[in-house]
Amino acid sequence: MKGKRTNLDDAACAIARSLGVIGDWWSLLIIRDALAGKRRFGELQKSLGMAKNILSARLQKLVEHGILATAPASDGTAYKAYVLTPKGKKLYLVLVALWQWGEEFCFAPGELTYDMVDRQTQKPFQPLELRARDGGVRGPGDLWALPRRAPKARRGTSSRR
Amino acid sequence: MKGKRTNLDDAACAIARSLGVIGDWWSLLIIRDALAGKRRFGELQKSLGMAKNILSARLQKLVEHGILATAPASDGTAYKAYVLTPKGKKLYLVLVALWQWGEEFCFAPGELTYDMVDRQTQKPFQPLELRARDGGVRGPGDLWALPRRAPKARRGTSSRR
DNA sequence: TGTCGATGGTTTTAATATGAAACCAGAATG
DNA sequence: CATTCTGGTTTCATATTAAAACCATCGACA
């Protein structure tokens, strides 16, 4: 269609699919705040400083995608809380990767006012590392997308010529 | 302003800043393709299937932000190529995190047609791990944002009451 | 128990961003 | 020198966004 954002939901690439779900301006920030313990609509809205209608739409989408779930508020009131599902929590590695990159490249010296630290030790984390199965560290040039064999292939169906 | 996307460029949070730069529908996909070796405008446009004006705008933004740079095409023609800078290449960890998450949560069984593998061994990578400085593995609940002390503090300037 | 403010949204409106297609200039090719 | 290919820009219709106004329900409290 014309002004409609292209739908990435059934791309073959896993990156594209992920972005189809959480690849907009706000979703990852909502997840960041949820991970930091913010659960209520108003809390999120104030912390993020975003328009309420947009927050509402995003929360709905994240719930639909099983990243957030609604639960009764923990303080006994009838209001509801938004909590991360296991699927949502697993996005923390994306957040860490973004944090480490942003920290390195998006701040002038001295401008950074927050560090991301381990809650227990209050010390920074190690930089993430990509490791091959043999344990060796790999870099940006080592990524490769390998097509899978046709999955339904049984005896006698394999490519022959 | 009214219909304008809120500017995240000077947020205090590193995640927000990162998203301000590469947090839109297309940027990370462009970077993925660039990492896969695609360098020419047409190549990118065909591979991504996106509108040319949007690609043009995104490339411009990525160049402005120092993630891509333009270079003369390698085949001797007068056309230009878009290549990742070191800053851009370092986004590979974000891509890997998104890939691993998407692979796990965004595909029906058997639907996945590509694996992300180590170029040399053609075998999958290990899942990324978040490690504290002591080497221990940490999870989503261990993230913490620690405010930095005021940086300019010298002798005698410290908080006293 | 009735009122009043807080909470959690939805609706409306104005502005901007997106996508598709048409258009165009310069480079390559013959 | 003509023709096609490449790399865009322009135009237009539509979608998405942000801000503000609005509104229903909940909670606190007199």
Side-chain angles (χ1 to χ4, degrees), chain A residues 105-137:
Chain A
F105 293 108
C106 297
F107 286 85
E111 196 191 6
L112 190 65
T113 53
Y114 286 93
D115 287 308
M116 178 178 53
V117 298
D118 175 24
R119 192 193 300 256
Q120 297 158 50
T121 63
Q122 299 281 304
K123 297 216 186 304
F125 294 102
Q126 293 182 16
L128 291 173
E129 286 176 335
L130 176 63
R131 290 183 181 275
R133 197 134 65 168
D134 59 31
V137 176

PDB file of all heavy atoms in Angstrom, chain A residues 105-137:
ATOM      1  N   PHE A 105      30.101   5.196  21.096  1.00  0.00           N
ATOM      2  CA  PHE A 105      30.097   6.035  19.907  1.00  0.00           C
ATOM      3  C   PHE A 105      29.169   7.235  19.938  1.00  0.00           C
ATOM      4  O   PHE A 105      29.226   8.070  19.042  1.00  0.00           O
ATOM      5  CB  PHE A 105      29.734   5.187  18.680  1.00  0.00           C
ATOM      6  CG  PHE A 105      30.762   4.174  18.326  1.00  0.00           C
ATOM      7  CD1 PHE A 105      30.533   2.825  18.548  1.00  0.00           C
ATOM      8  CD2 PHE A 105      31.974   4.554  17.774  1.00  0.00           C
ATOM      9  CE1 PHE A 105      31.480   1.875  18.217  1.00  0.00           C
ATOM     10  CE2 PHE A 105      32.925   3.621  17.434  1.00  0.00           C
ATOM     11  CZ  PHE A 105      32.688   2.280  17.659  1.00  0.00           C
ATOM     12  N   CYS A 106      28.284   7.319  20.909  1.00  0.00           N
ATOM     13  CA  CYS A 106      27.272   8.370  20.850  1.00  0.00           C
ATOM     14  C   CYS A 106      27.397   9.438  21.919  1.00  0.00           C
ATOM     15  O   CYS A 106      26.478  10.232  22.111  1.00  0.00           O
ATOM     16  CB  CYS A 106      25.876   7.761  20.891  1.00  0.00           C
ATOM     17  SG  CYS A 106      25.515   6.700  19.499  1.00  0.00           S
ATOM     18  N   PHE A 107      28.516   9.457  22.630  1.00  0.00           N
ATOM     19  CA  PHE A 107      28.675  10.474  23.668  1.00  0.00           C
ATOM     20  C   PHE A 107      29.992  11.201  23.504  1.00  0.00           C
ATOM     21  O   PHE A 107      31.017  10.588  23.186  1.00  0.00           O
ATOM     22  CB  PHE A 107      28.627   9.826  25.054  1.00  0.00           C
ATOM     23  CG  PHE A 107      27.255   9.395  25.465  1.00  0.00           C
ATOM     24  CD1 PHE A 107      26.767   8.159  25.083  1.00  0.00           C
ATOM     25  CD2 PHE A 107      26.444  10.240  26.211  1.00  0.00           C
ATOM     26  CE1 PHE A 107      25.489   7.759  25.450  1.00  0.00           C
ATOM     27  CE2 PHE A 107      25.170   9.843  26.577  1.00  0.00           C
ATOM     28  CZ  PHE A 107      24.689   8.596  26.197  1.00  0.00           C
ATOM     29  N   ALA A 108      29.939  12.492  23.748  1.00  0.00           N
ATOM     30  CA  ALA A 108      31.176  13.261  23.828  1.00  0.00           C
ATOM     31  C   ALA A 108      31.858  12.894  25.145  1.00  0.00           C
ATOM     32  O   ALA A 108      31.195  12.456  26.089  1.00  0.00           O
ATOM     33  CB  ALA A 108      30.868  14.749  23.778  1.00  0.00           C
ATOM     34  N   PRO A 109      33.161  13.078  25.224  1.00  0.00           N
ATOM     35  CA  PRO A 109      33.853  12.733  26.463  1.00  0.00           C
ATOM     36  C   PRO A 109      33.270  13.492  27.651  1.00  0.00           C
ATOM     37  O   PRO A 109      33.054  14.698  27.571  1.00  0.00           O
ATOM     38  CB  PRO A 109      35.298  13.189  26.205  1.00  0.00           C
ATOM     39  CG  PRO A 109      35.414  13.472  24.761  1.00  0.00           C
ATOM     40  CD  PRO A 109      34.062  13.621  24.199  1.00  0.00           C
ATOM     41  N   GLY A 110      33.007  12.786  28.728  1.00  0.00           N
ATOM     42  CA  GLY A 110      32.463  13.432  29.907  1.00  0.00           C
ATOM     43  C   GLY A 110      30.968  13.627  29.880  1.00  0.00           C
ATOM     44  O   GLY A 110      30.360  14.035  30.861  1.00  0.00           O
ATOM     45  N   GLU A 111      30.346  13.338  28.752  1.00  0.00           N
ATOM     46  CA  GLU A 111      28.915  13.599  28.619  1.00  0.00           C
ATOM     47  C   GLU A 111      28.065  12.479  29.219  1.00  0.00           C
ATOM     48  O   GLU A 111      26.907  12.672  29.566  1.00  0.00           O
ATOM     49  CB  GLU A 111      28.592  13.770  27.134  1.00  0.00           C
ATOM     50  CG  GLU A 111      27.258  14.407  26.856  1.00  0.00           C
ATOM     51  CD  GLU A 111      26.897  14.293  25.385  1.00  0.00           C
ATOM     52  OE1 GLU A 111      27.624  13.630  24.622  1.00  0.00           O
ATOM     53  OE2 GLU A 111      25.884  14.854  25.001  1.00  0.00           O
ATOM     54  N   LEU A 112      28.651  11.314  29.315  1.00  0.00           N
ATOM     55  CA  LEU A 112      27.909  10.150  29.788  1.00  0.00           C
ATOM     56  C   LEU A 112      27.634  10.255  31.283  1.00  0.00           C
ATOM     57  O   LEU A 112      28.545  10.474  32.077  1.00  0.00           O
ATOM     58  CB  LEU A 112      28.731   8.887  29.499  1.00  0.00           C
ATOM     59  CG  LEU A 112      28.054   7.544  29.700  1.00  0.00           C
ATOM     60  CD1 LEU A 112      26.910   7.388  28.709  1.00  0.00           C
ATOM     61  CD2 LEU A 112      29.069   6.434  29.494  1.00  0.00           C
ATOM     62  N   THR A 113      26.371  10.100  31.661  1.00  0.00           N
ATOM     63  CA  THR A 113      26.028  10.280  33.069  1.00  0.00           C
ATOM     64  C   THR A 113      25.575   8.983  33.739  1.00  0.00           C
ATOM     65  O   THR A 113      25.347   8.970  34.940  1.00  0.00           O
ATOM     66  CB  THR A 113      24.910  11.326  33.219  1.00  0.00           C
ATOM     67  OG1 THR A 113      23.823  10.947  32.382  1.00  0.00           O
ATOM     68  CG2 THR A 113      25.404  12.698  32.824  1.00  0.00           C
ATOM     69  N   TYR A 114      25.393   7.929  32.955  1.00  0.00           N
ATOM     70  CA  TYR A 114      25.010   6.657  33.535  1.00  0.00           C
ATOM     71  C   TYR A 114      25.928   5.557  33.024  1.00  0.00           C
ATOM     72  O   TYR A 114      26.293   5.547  31.862  1.00  0.00           O
ATOM     73  CB  TYR A 114      23.586   6.266  33.136  1.00  0.00           C
ATOM     74  CG  TYR A 114      22.539   7.069  33.849  1.00  0.00           C
ATOM     75  CD1 TYR A 114      22.039   8.223  33.276  1.00  0.00           C
ATOM     76  CD2 TYR A 114      22.070   6.669  35.082  1.00  0.00           C
ATOM     77  CE1 TYR A 114      21.073   8.969  33.932  1.00  0.00           C
ATOM     78  CE2 TYR A 114      21.105   7.401  35.744  1.00  0.00           C
ATOM     79  CZ  TYR A 114      20.615   8.550  35.163  1.00  0.00           C
ATOM     80  OH  TYR A 114      19.677   9.276  35.814  1.00  0.00           O
ATOM     81  N   ASP A 115      26.256   4.638  33.903  1.00  0.00           N
ATOM     82  CA  ASP A 115      26.925   3.428  33.472  1.00  0.00           C
ATOM     83  C   ASP A 115      25.974   2.259  33.630  1.00  0.00           C
ATOM     84  O   ASP A 115      25.154   2.241  34.546  1.00  0.00           O
ATOM     85  CB  ASP A 115      28.172   3.171  34.334  1.00  0.00           C
ATOM     86  CG  ASP A 115      29.282   4.130  33.995  1.00  0.00           C
ATOM     87  OD1 ASP A 115      29.606   4.241  32.807  1.00  0.00           O
ATOM     88  OD2 ASP A 115      29.815   4.776  34.921  1.00  0.00           O
ATOM     89  N   MET A 116      26.103   1.300  32.757  1.00  0.00           N
ATOM     90  CA  MET A 116      25.363   0.069  32.930  1.00  0.00           C
ATOM     91  C   MET A 116      26.227  -0.880  33.737  1.00  0.00           C
ATOM     92  O   MET A 116      27.350  -1.198  33.335  1.00  0.00           O
ATOM     93  CB  MET A 116      25.040  -0.561  31.583  1.00  0.00           C
ATOM     94  CG  MET A 116      24.316  -1.882  31.735  1.00  0.00           C
ATOM     95  SD  MET A 116      23.891  -2.594  30.144  1.00  0.00           S
ATOM     96  CE  MET A 116      25.482  -2.576  29.355  1.00  0.00           C
ATOM     97  N   VAL A 117      25.719  -1.312  34.865  1.00  0.00           N
ATOM     98  CA  VAL A 117      26.531  -2.153  35.736  1.00  0.00           C
ATOM     99  C   VAL A 117      25.762  -3.391  36.170  1.00  0.00           C
ATOM    100  O   VAL A 117      24.532  -3.449  36.065  1.00  0.00           O
ATOM    101  CB  VAL A 117      26.957  -1.387  37.009  1.00  0.00           C
ATOM    102  CG1 VAL A 117      27.821  -0.187  36.657  1.00  0.00           C
ATOM    103  CG2 VAL A 117      25.742  -0.962  37.817  1.00  0.00           C
ATOM    104  N   ASP A 118      26.514  -4.330  36.651  1.00  0.00           N
ATOM    105  CA  ASP A 118      25.945  -5.520  37.265  1.00  0.00           C
ATOM    106  C   ASP A 118      25.292  -5.115  38.587  1.00  0.00           C
ATOM    107  O   ASP A 118      25.924  -4.476  39.420  1.00  0.00           O
ATOM    108  CB  ASP A 118      27.077  -6.524  37.509  1.00  0.00           C
ATOM    109  CG  ASP A 118      26.588  -7.746  38.258  1.00  0.00           C
ATOM    110  OD1 ASP A 118      25.385  -8.053  38.190  1.00  0.00           O
ATOM    111  OD2 ASP A 118      27.436  -8.392  38.900  1.00  0.00           O
ATOM    112  N   ARG A 119      24.061  -5.467  38.754  1.00  0.00           N
ATOM    113  CA  ARG A 119      23.320  -5.029  39.928  1.00  0.00           C
ATOM    114  C   ARG A 119      24.004  -5.471  41.231  1.00  0.00           C
ATOM    115  O   ARG A 119      24.009  -4.739  42.215  1.00  0.00           O
ATOM    116  CB  ARG A 119      21.904  -5.581  39.883  1.00  0.00           C
ATOM    117  CG  ARG A 119      20.958  -4.961  40.887  1.00  0.00           C
ATOM    118  CD  ARG A 119      19.677  -5.751  41.008  1.00  0.00           C
ATOM    119  NE  ARG A 119      18.959  -5.842  39.750  1.00  0.00           N
ATOM    120  CZ  ARG A 119      17.853  -5.132  39.459  1.00  0.00           C
ATOM    121  NH1 ARG A 119      17.377  -4.286  40.334  1.00  0.00           N
ATOM    122  NH2 ARG A 119      17.254  -5.293  38.321  1.00  0.00           N
ATOM    123  N   GLN A 120      24.571  -6.657  41.193  1.00  0.00           N
ATOM    124  CA  GLN A 120      25.174  -7.167  42.425  1.00  0.00           C
ATOM    125  C   GLN A 120      26.485  -6.460  42.781  1.00  0.00           C
ATOM    126  O   GLN A 120      26.654  -5.942  43.865  1.00  0.00           O
ATOM    127  CB  GLN A 120      25.426  -8.672  42.295  1.00  0.00           C
ATOM    128  CG  GLN A 120      24.161  -9.489  42.110  1.00  0.00           C
ATOM    129  CD  GLN A 120      24.450 -10.833  41.476  1.00  0.00           C
ATOM    130  OE1 GLN A 120      25.329 -11.569  41.913  1.00  0.00           O
ATOM    131  NE2 GLN A 120      23.705 -11.146  40.437  1.00  0.00           N
ATOM    132  N   THR A 121      27.387  -6.447  41.828  1.00  0.00           N
ATOM    133  CA  THR A 121      28.711  -5.915  42.125  1.00  0.00           C
ATOM    134  C   THR A 121      28.817  -4.420  41.874  1.00  0.00           C
ATOM    135  O   THR A 121      29.793  -3.796  42.269  1.00  0.00           O
ATOM    136  CB  THR A 121      29.765  -6.618  41.261  1.00  0.00           C
ATOM    137  OG1 THR A 121      29.480  -6.317  39.886  1.00  0.00           O
ATOM    138  CG2 THR A 121      29.719  -8.118  41.468  1.00  0.00           C
ATOM    139  N   GLN A 122      27.817  -3.854  41.170  1.00  0.00           N
ATOM    140  CA  GLN A 122      27.863  -2.438  40.795  1.00  0.00           C
ATOM    141  C   GLN A 122      29.077  -2.113  39.928  1.00  0.00           C
ATOM    142  O   GLN A 122      29.555  -0.979  39.912  1.00  0.00           O
ATOM    143  CB  GLN A 122      27.863  -1.548  42.043  1.00  0.00           C
ATOM    144  CG  GLN A 122      26.621  -1.715  42.907  1.00  0.00           C
ATOM    145  CD  GLN A 122      25.428  -0.956  42.361  1.00  0.00           C
ATOM    146  OE1 GLN A 122      25.489   0.243  42.147  1.00  0.00           O
ATOM    147  NE2 GLN A 122      24.343  -1.671  42.086  1.00  0.00           N
ATOM    148  N   LYS A 123      29.552  -3.105  39.220  1.00  0.00           N
ATOM    149  CA  LYS A 123      30.677  -2.870  38.312  1.00  0.00           C
ATOM    150  C   LYS A 123      30.237  -3.138  36.879  1.00  0.00           C
ATOM    151  O   LYS A 123      29.339  -3.939  36.646  1.00  0.00           O
ATOM    152  CB  LYS A 123      31.830  -3.800  38.672  1.00  0.00           C
ATOM    153  CG  LYS A 123      32.385  -3.559  40.054  1.00  0.00           C
ATOM    154  CD  LYS A 123      33.878  -3.759  40.062  1.00  0.00           C
ATOM    155  CE  LYS A 123      34.438  -3.654  41.470  1.00  0.00           C
ATOM    156  NZ  LYS A 123      34.093  -2.384  42.135  1.00  0.00           N
ATOM    157  N   PRO A 124      30.872  -2.450  35.915  1.00  0.00           N
ATOM    158  CA  PRO A 124      30.474  -2.619  34.509  1.00  0.00           C
ATOM    159  C   PRO A 124      30.614  -4.062  34.052  1.00  0.00           C
ATOM    160  O   PRO A 124      31.388  -4.831  34.614  1.00  0.00           O
ATOM    161  CB  PRO A 124      31.469  -1.724  33.753  1.00  0.00           C
ATOM    162  CG  PRO A 124      32.077  -0.846  34.747  1.00  0.00           C
ATOM    163  CD  PRO A 124      31.943  -1.479  36.084  1.00  0.00           C
ATOM    164  N   PHE A 125      29.886  -4.384  33.018  1.00  0.00           N
ATOM    165  CA  PHE A 125      29.987  -5.714  32.427  1.00  0.00           C
ATOM    166  C   PHE A 125      31.171  -5.778  31.474  1.00  0.00           C
ATOM    167  O   PHE A 125      31.717  -4.749  31.058  1.00  0.00           O
ATOM    168  CB  PHE A 125      28.720  -6.028  31.648  1.00  0.00           C
ATOM    169  CG  PHE A 125      27.504  -6.138  32.514  1.00  0.00           C
ATOM    170  CD1 PHE A 125      26.596  -5.095  32.580  1.00  0.00           C
ATOM    171  CD2 PHE A 125      27.260  -7.277  33.261  1.00  0.00           C
ATOM    172  CE1 PHE A 125      25.472  -5.191  33.384  1.00  0.00           C
ATOM    173  CE2 PHE A 125      26.132  -7.382  34.056  1.00  0.00           C
ATOM    174  CZ  PHE A 125      25.246  -6.329  34.122  1.00  0.00           C
ATOM    175  N   GLN A 126      31.504  -6.993  31.107  1.00  0.00           N
ATOM    176  CA  GLN A 126      32.456  -7.165  30.016  1.00  0.00           C
ATOM    177  C   GLN A 126      31.759  -6.821  28.700  1.00  0.00           C
ATOM    178  O   GLN A 126      30.553  -6.999  28.589  1.00  0.00           O
ATOM    179  CB  GLN A 126      32.938  -8.616  29.950  1.00  0.00           C
ATOM    180  CG  GLN A 126      33.763  -9.031  31.137  1.00  0.00           C
ATOM    181  CD  GLN A 126      34.259 -10.455  30.999  1.00  0.00           C
ATOM    182  OE1 GLN A 126      34.246 -11.027  29.913  1.00  0.00           O
ATOM    183  NE2 GLN A 126      34.693 -11.030  32.107  1.00  0.00           N
ATOM    184  N   PRO A 127      32.518  -6.362  27.724  1.00  0.00           N
ATOM    185  CA  PRO A 127      31.920  -6.188  26.398  1.00  0.00           C
ATOM    186  C   PRO A 127      31.440  -7.537  25.883  1.00  0.00           C
ATOM    187  O   PRO A 127      32.095  -8.556  26.114  1.00  0.00           O
ATOM    188  CB  PRO A 127      33.076  -5.670  25.538  1.00  0.00           C
ATOM    189  CG  PRO A 127      34.113  -5.207  26.489  1.00  0.00           C
ATOM    190  CD  PRO A 127      33.921  -5.954  27.768  1.00  0.00           C
ATOM    191  N   LEU A 128      30.304  -7.525  25.219  1.00  0.00           N
ATOM    192  CA  LEU A 128      29.799  -8.762  24.627  1.00  0.00           C
ATOM    193  C   LEU A 128      30.801  -9.301  23.624  1.00  0.00           C
ATOM    194  O   LEU A 128      31.523  -8.541  22.976  1.00  0.00           O
ATOM    195  CB  LEU A 128      28.472  -8.506  23.912  1.00  0.00           C
ATOM    196  CG  LEU A 128      27.276  -8.167  24.798  1.00  0.00           C
ATOM    197  CD1 LEU A 128      26.091  -7.782  23.927  1.00  0.00           C
ATOM    198  CD2 LEU A 128      26.929  -9.337  25.697  1.00  0.00           C
ATOM    199  N   GLU A 129      30.850 -10.583  23.516  1.00  0.00           N
ATOM    200  CA  GLU A 129      31.736 -11.219  22.549  1.00  0.00           C
ATOM    201  C   GLU A 129      30.984 -12.248  21.738  1.00  0.00           C
ATOM    202  O   GLU A 129      30.194 -13.014  22.277  1.00  0.00           O
ATOM    203  CB  GLU A 129      32.898 -11.925  23.265  1.00  0.00           C
ATOM    204  CG  GLU A 129      33.933 -10.975  23.811  1.00  0.00           C
ATOM    205  CD  GLU A 129      35.002 -11.705  24.586  1.00  0.00           C
ATOM    206  OE1 GLU A 129      34.729 -12.808  25.106  1.00  0.00           O
ATOM    207  OE2 GLU A 129      36.120 -11.173  24.676  1.00  0.00           O
ATOM    208  N   LEU A 130      31.276 -12.256  20.456  1.00  0.00           N
ATOM    209  CA  LEU A 130      30.701 -13.282  19.591  1.00  0.00           C
ATOM    210  C   LEU A 130      31.684 -14.435  19.513  1.00  0.00           C
ATOM    211  O   LEU A 130      32.841 -14.239  19.140  1.00  0.00           O
ATOM    212  CB  LEU A 130      30.447 -12.711  18.197  1.00  0.00           C
ATOM    213  CG  LEU A 130      29.937 -13.711  17.170  1.00  0.00           C
ATOM    214  CD1 LEU A 130      28.576 -14.261  17.572  1.00  0.00           C
ATOM    215  CD2 LEU A 130      29.869 -13.062  15.801  1.00  0.00           C
ATOM    216  N   ARG A 131      31.226 -15.600  19.863  1.00  0.00           N
ATOM    217  CA  ARG A 131      32.123 -16.762  19.865  1.00  0.00           C
ATOM    218  C   ARG A 131      31.610 -17.858  18.947  1.00  0.00           C
ATOM    219  O   ARG A 131      30.422 -18.162  18.928  1.00  0.00           O
ATOM    220  CB  ARG A 131      32.238 -17.333  21.280  1.00  0.00           C
ATOM    221  CG  ARG A 131      33.018 -16.427  22.213  1.00  0.00           C
ATOM    222  CD  ARG A 131      33.187 -17.033  23.571  1.00  0.00           C
ATOM    223  NE  ARG A 131      33.916 -16.132  24.442  1.00  0.00           N
ATOM    224  CZ  ARG A 131      35.252 -16.067  24.497  1.00  0.00           C
ATOM    225  NH1 ARG A 131      35.972 -16.878  23.729  1.00  0.00           N
ATOM    226  NH2 ARG A 131      35.850 -15.216  25.297  1.00  0.00           N
ATOM    227  N   ALA A 132      32.534 -18.436  18.233  1.00  0.00           N
ATOM    228  CA  ALA A 132      32.213 -19.601  17.412  1.00  0.00           C
ATOM    229  C   ALA A 132      32.057 -20.806  18.325  1.00  0.00           C
ATOM    230  O   ALA A 132      32.360 -20.736  19.517  1.00  0.00           O
ATOM    231  CB  ALA A 132      33.314 -19.850  16.390  1.00  0.00           C
ATOM    232  N   ARG A 133      31.578 -21.864  17.763  1.00  0.00           N
ATOM    233  CA  ARG A 133      31.322 -23.040  18.580  1.00  0.00           C
ATOM    234  C   ARG A 133      32.596 -23.551  19.240  1.00  0.00           C
ATOM    235  O   ARG A 133      32.561 -24.110  20.332  1.00  0.00           O
ATOM    236  CB  ARG A 133      30.705 -24.141  17.720  1.00  0.00           C
ATOM    237  CG  ARG A 133      30.047 -25.190  18.552  1.00  0.00           C
ATOM    238  CD  ARG A 133      28.693 -25.565  18.037  1.00  0.00           C
ATOM    239  NE  ARG A 133      28.769 -26.202  16.741  1.00  0.00           N
ATOM    240  CZ  ARG A 133      27.744 -26.824  16.184  1.00  0.00           C
ATOM    241  NH1 ARG A 133      26.592 -26.900  16.824  1.00  0.00           N
ATOM    242  NH2 ARG A 133      27.854 -27.348  14.983  1.00  0.00           N
ATOM    243  N   ASP A 134      33.729 -23.356  18.568  1.00  0.00           N
ATOM    244  CA  ASP A 134      34.988 -23.820  19.167  1.00  0.00           C
ATOM    245  C   ASP A 134      35.476 -22.870  20.264  1.00  0.00           C
ATOM    246  O   ASP A 134      36.536 -23.077  20.831  1.00  0.00           O
ATOM    247  CB  ASP A 134      36.054 -23.971  18.078  1.00  0.00           C
ATOM    248  CG  ASP A 134      36.309 -22.662  17.348  1.00  0.00           C
ATOM    249  OD1 ASP A 134      36.181 -21.577  17.954  1.00  0.00           O
ATOM    250  OD2 ASP A 134      36.652 -22.712  16.147  1.00  0.00           O
ATOM    251  N   GLY A 135      34.736 -21.827  20.553  1.00  0.00           N
ATOM    252  CA  GLY A 135      35.107 -20.928  21.626  1.00  0.00           C
ATOM    253  C   GLY A 135      35.903 -19.721  21.182  1.00  0.00           C
ATOM    254  O   GLY A 135      36.105 -18.798  21.961  1.00  0.00           O
ATOM    255  N   GLY A 136      36.330 -19.689  19.957  1.00  0.00           N
ATOM    256  CA  GLY A 136      37.112 -18.560  19.473  1.00  0.00           C
ATOM    257  C   GLY A 136      36.260 -17.319  19.285  1.00  0.00           C
ATOM    258  O   GLY A 136      35.098 -17.417  18.906  1.00  0.00           O
ATOM    259  N   VAL A 137      36.840 -16.171  19.525  1.00  0.00           N
ATOM    260  CA  VAL A 137      36.113 -14.912  19.365  1.00  0.00           C
ATOM    261  C   VAL A 137      36.057 -14.545  17.894  1.00  0.00           C
ATOM    262  O   VAL A 137      37.055 -14.684  17.175  1.00  0.00           O
ATOM    263  CB  VAL A 137      36.796 -13.797  20.178  1.00  0.00           C
ATOM    264  CG1 VAL A 137      36.106 -12.465  19.926  1.00  0.00           C
ATOM    265  CG2 VAL A 137      36.777 -14.131  21.663  1.00  0.00           C
TER     266      VAL A 137
END
